[in-house]
Amino acid sequence: MSTYANIDAFITKHLVLDLTADFDSRTLLGTAELMFERRDPGATEVVLDTRDLQVRKAEASSGGASWVDAAFRLDPATAAFGSALRVTVPRDADRLRITYASSPAAKGLQWLTPPQTSGKKLPFLFSQAQAIQARSFIPIQDTPAVRMTYDATIRVPKELVAVMAAEAAPGEKGSGVFHFRMPQPIPSYLIAIAIGDLTFQPMSDRTGVWAEPAAIAAAAKEFEDTEQMIKTTEALYGPYRWGRYDLLVLPPSFPFGGMENPRVTFATPTVIVGDKSLVALVAHELAHSWSGNLVTNATWQDFWLNEGFTTYLERRIVEAVYGKRLSDMERIIGLRDLAQARADLTVAGDRTLQPTLGDRDPDDAYSVVPYELGALFLSFLEDKFGRDTFDRFLRRWFDEHAFQSVTTAQFLEFLSKHLLSTRPGEVTEAQIQEWLHTESIPSFAVMPKSDALEKVEQARDAWLMSGSVEALALASAAWSTQEWVHFIDALPRKLDADRLSALDRRFKLTDSPNSEIAHVWFRLAIANRYTPAFPAMERYMIRIGRRKLIVPLYRDLALTADGKAMAKRIYAKAREGYHPVAQSTVDDLLN
Ligand SMILES: [Zn+2]
């Protein structure tokens, strides 16, 4: 279950944080007060999740009027789950206050030096709690089965701004003290904080962008359709229930594309490419406001309920706002990512919608399988029952489970009752079971098709035949990111150096400012030892910390002895700029 918390005895209902961010010692320190609902009236021990926390004091209270010291101990840590904090409490206690400090190496925090930011002058801190890293900066019941509201006071150096994925109380500018309130109950993995030289630009009444001053204008332009996306999603799946929806653009070391922190999505700057071609990421994180944040996987084994639904919703939003041409391309690229993930995974069960996690950190089983296979499953249901019926079904699923954590078994029961039974025999139980347990794509899946990408393949074939980059230039004049990525990815893995350099000279691929295009180009360069691309690739791997973009490059390099030596040399320079979760992925790969 990925947690040590004894949630059968106590459930956290509300959390109060008072934390100081100390950039010199790289620690968050202060107090976390947890208010419980008792499930076991006789219980006298509360067990919380922690990882590398320095716990200084524990106090218990009933009602919060007076506090008494409570005895506590930390169990020996395990690599996967950290260490259980056991606090002995009186029989009437309903709250606990822990005084603690996080470790400078906290897995859920990344402390950036000024040179690692866009502005280069001030430091930056951001958190990433999913899946089970909230425990590395808060002693907490760190399981998505528990939902809590919270209040937070965050103290920072006066020149910095703190943003949490919560409602901000109007504070005094330059005071260094920020107050936040999260009125909707959320699971621990959605607690998030960023501190830096952050500025805000509104995009509509309820949307806006946070970023460093140097990045804000381009971000606001790239994401200007956000309000339209929200309206589109509301029309399909019901009201947006979180108040504001803002985006916070992080420095390039952010290890993910985006993180759906409620009210404030955290996003990588690598999707800001100038033509909105990668804003499916916003559609994705926004969709989590329904699938994931509103209706949440109760365990990490049910992760597909978050990500499969969200990937399906993402493509529907992209289709409604940008057209079917783009959403079809996204579906095909998703299929290709799925095939790649299935080939890369070493634990067979991880290729299914319901992996067995056992005593593994859920992050170790992470892949796009729950995203893409889950989305294919929902597309199959949509096809069988028709879009209108399926949309109403999904809306009802969100409405009836709003602010709840749910299991796959609950979804299957709901599916059977409210969709399958409306047309008995349309979908068989055997088909449902195959979707859940197959390691491949069921033969009866409805596969996407993209005319645009078929045209790209024709252009590829023509170029491979003729070698004419000018003909290719004509064919590709209006290509988006997706089409270029598909073109490069669909080239034979072995090409001679003349061809590669002709392509490079004409289309400036080595120096592409588009991180997705550069990524597939560098993979092709590695496969062919096309050395003119390597200096730019090295700079890319040092600057960017997004796992999806860097890990495949390390993996490709590690296939040969001299490639591996090069990977290690680059990593020696890049490592300190990576987030701890990216560090541990690359550490594993190169050792
Ligand atoms: Zn997601």
Side-chain angles (χ1 to χ4, degrees):
M1 284 285 281
S2 318
T3 180
Y4 292 120
N6 55 337
I7 60 174
D8 46 349
F10 298 90
I11 289 278
T12 311
K13 299 308 265 184
H14 187 71
L15 168 71
V16 181
L17 293 172
D18 189 328
L19 297 174
T20 299
D22 182 341
F23 282 82
D24 294 327
S25 64
R26 297 192 155 197
T27 52
L28 281 179
L29 61 163
T31 57
E33 186 181 326
L34 298 102
M35 301 179 193
F36 297 109
E37 178 184 295
R38 270 180 176 270
R39 290 196 170 171
D40 174 356
T44 55
E45 184 185 66
V46 179
V47 187
L48 300 177
D49 292 299
T50 73
R51 189 195 294 279
D52 300 328
L53 293 186
Q54 213 186 90
V55 179
R56 292 175 183 163
K57 190 160 140 184
E59 298 159 286
S61 172
S62 174
S66 60
W67 293 89
V68 292
D69 279 356
F72 69 90
R73 68 185 165 84
L74 281 164
D75 285 353
T78 63
F81 304 141
S83 93
L85 170 64
R86 298 177 182 279
V87 187
T88 306
V89 297
R91 269 174 206 284
D92 63 346
D94 64 358
R95 61 187 74 190
L96 204 56
R97 184 163 66 195
I98 312 289
T99 304
Y100 71 99
S102 64
S103 148
K107 232 179 156 181
L109 300 176
Q110 186 174 12
W111 301 85
L112 297 172
T113 60
Q116 291 167 334
T117 66
S118 319
K120 314 280 180 208
K121 288 197 187 73
L122 294 167
F124 202 103
L125 165 71
F126 66 87
S127 68
Q128 164 58 39
Q130 197 180 27
I132 57 165
Q133 307 310 347
R135 66 189 65 178
S136 73
F137 56 96
I138 306 170
I140 200 164
Q141 293 183 314
D142 199 6
T143 160
V146 174
R147 311 181 76 97
M148 67 197 89
T149 51
Y150 74 83
D151 292 295
T153 299
I154 305 293
R155 299 160 203 277
V156 305
K158 285 192 170 50
E159 63 276 23
L160 299 179
V161 170
V163 176
M164 285 193 87
E167 220 174 272
E172 241 173 90
K173 212 173 173 236
S175 69
V177 183
F178 295 83
H179 299 284
F180 302 94
R181 171 175 164 264
M182 186 68 216
Q184 291 96 357
I186 53 155
S188 56
Y189 77 88
L190 292 176
I191 297 173
I193 183 166
I195 300 170
D197 182 13
L198 287 166
T199 179
F200 180 76
Q201 184 169 324
M203 296 189 294
S204 72
D205 284 353
R206 59 175 167 176
T207 70
V209 180
W210 288 98
E212 289 189 78
I216 191 104
K221 182 84 191 110
E222 198 84 12
F223 301 144
E224 66 186 359
D225 301 331
T226 302
E227 176 64 38
Q228 199 191 336
M229 288 192 196
I230 301 177
K231 290 202 175 93
T232 299
T233 321
E234 288 184 309
L236 285 168
Y237 307 116
Y240 178 78
R241 303 178 205 226
W242 304 88
R244 295 195 58 81
Y245 181 78
D246 296 322
L247 289 140
L248 188 148
V249 179
L250 290 164
S253 64
F254 184 52
F256 300 98
M259 177 62 210
E260 65 269 24
N261 297 315
R263 300 176 64 99
V264 188
T265 281
F266 284 19
T268 172
T270 63
V271 294
I272 300 169
V273 291
D275 65 358
K276 300 182 186 170
S277 59
L278 298 176
V279 296
L281 179 106
V282 177
H284 181 96
E285 306 311 336
L286 171 67
H288 273 305
S289 308
W290 286 261
S291 47
N293 299 3
L294 187 65
V295 182
T296 309
N297 52 210
T299 77
W300 294 112
Q301 254 156 259
D302 301 305
F303 192 44
W304 80 277
L305 293 177
N306 278 15
E307 296 300 349
F309 279 61
T310 293
T311 303
Y312 172 83
L313 263 58
E314 166 200 333
R315 309 246 160 91
R316 292 291 307 276
I317 298 167
V318 169
E319 182 178 325
V321 177
Y322 298 100
K324 197 164 178 319
R325 185 175 185 276
L326 182 59
S327 61
D328 281 345
M329 288 198 284
E330 292 284 348
R331 288 185 180 96
I332 295 284
I333 289 171
L335 267 191
R336 191 198 63 207
D337 293 346
L338 175 60
Q340 179 74 52
R342 286 175 39 228
D344 291 342
L345 287 168
T346 50
V347 177
D350 293 350
R351 296 185 201 113
T352 73
L353 281 185
Q354 290 246 273
T356 304
L357 295 173
D359 57 5
R360 288 185 296 162
D361 181 332
D363 202 42
D364 292 341
Y366 179 86
S367 80
V368 303
V369 169
Y371 294 67
E372 297 296 340
L373 196 57
L376 278 176
F377 179 21
L378 298 193
S379 294
F380 163 79
L381 293 171
E382 178 202 317
D383 183 69
K384 288 287 179 191
F385 293 89
R387 188 168 265 197
D388 288 349
T389 302
F390 190 61
D391 286 350
R392 279 196 302 276
F393 165 78
L394 277 186
R395 178 168 180 162
R396 184 168 184 180
W397 166 249
F398 296 136
D399 282 344
E400 290 188 16
H401 299 86
F403 300 108
Q404 294 175 32
S405 300
V406 292
T407 61
T408 299
Q410 278 171 282
F411 173 68
L412 293 181
E413 198 187 316
F414 190 85
L415 174 69
S416 165
K417 194 164 157 198
H418 298 293
L419 191 67
L420 303 187
S421 66
T422 61
R423 285 184 23 216
E426 188 68 50
V427 171
T428 67
E429 181 56 28
Q431 285 177 317
I432 298 291
Q433 289 306 316
E434 189 167 342
W435 276 112
L436 291 173
H437 302 296
T438 182
E439 280 179 38
S440 51
I441 297 169
S443 58
F444 45 83
V446 182
M447 300 305 273
K449 201 174 145 348
S450 161
D451 296 340
L453 294 184
E454 278 172 19
K455 288 210 180 82
V456 169
E457 287 162 25
Q458 287 157 13
R460 170 203 60 183
D461 293 344
W463 178 67
L464 288 172
M465 292 278 284
S466 70
S468 161
V469 287
E470 289 317 312
L472 179 60
L474 276 177
S476 67
W479 280 2
S480 62
T481 305
Q482 288 76 8
E483 286 153 304
W484 270 111
V485 165
H486 188 70
F487 172 78
I488 297 168
D489 236 21
L491 288 172
R493 291 297 87 185
K494 288 290 171 203
L495 281 172
D496 58 60
D498 290 349
R499 287 236 162 176
L500 286 168
S501 70
L503 209 54
D504 197 9
R505 269 200 313 276
R506 183 65 182 80
F507 301 106
K508 311 239 176 316
L509 296 170
T510 292
D511 297 316
S512 173
N514 184 310
S515 59
E516 295 276 352
I517 295 173
H519 170 80
V520 287
W521 174 247
F522 293 146
R523 293 193 74 177
L524 187 64
I526 294 169
N528 289 282
R529 295 194 198 194
Y530 176 68
T531 53
F534 288 178
M537 180 176 78
E538 178 170 335
R539 289 193 296 275
Y540 177 100
M541 292 166 81
I542 291 170
R543 186 172 61 86
I544 294 175
R546 185 177 172 192
R547 282 199 301 193
K548 178 192 142 182
L549 296 178
I550 54 165
V551 171
L553 300 179
Y554 283 107
R555 188 179 287 131
D556 290 356
L557 282 168
L559 292 174
T560 63
D562 56 338
K564 191 162 184 176
M566 181 174 161
K568 285 189 168 171
R569 193 173 50 70
I570 296 173
Y571 187 47
K573 295 183 217 169
R575 191 178 189 278
E576 71 156 348
Y578 289 172
H579 186 279
V581 307
Q583 288 176 346
S584 71
T585 307
V586 183
D587 285 348
D588 288 351
L589 207 90
L590 295 181
N591 291 323

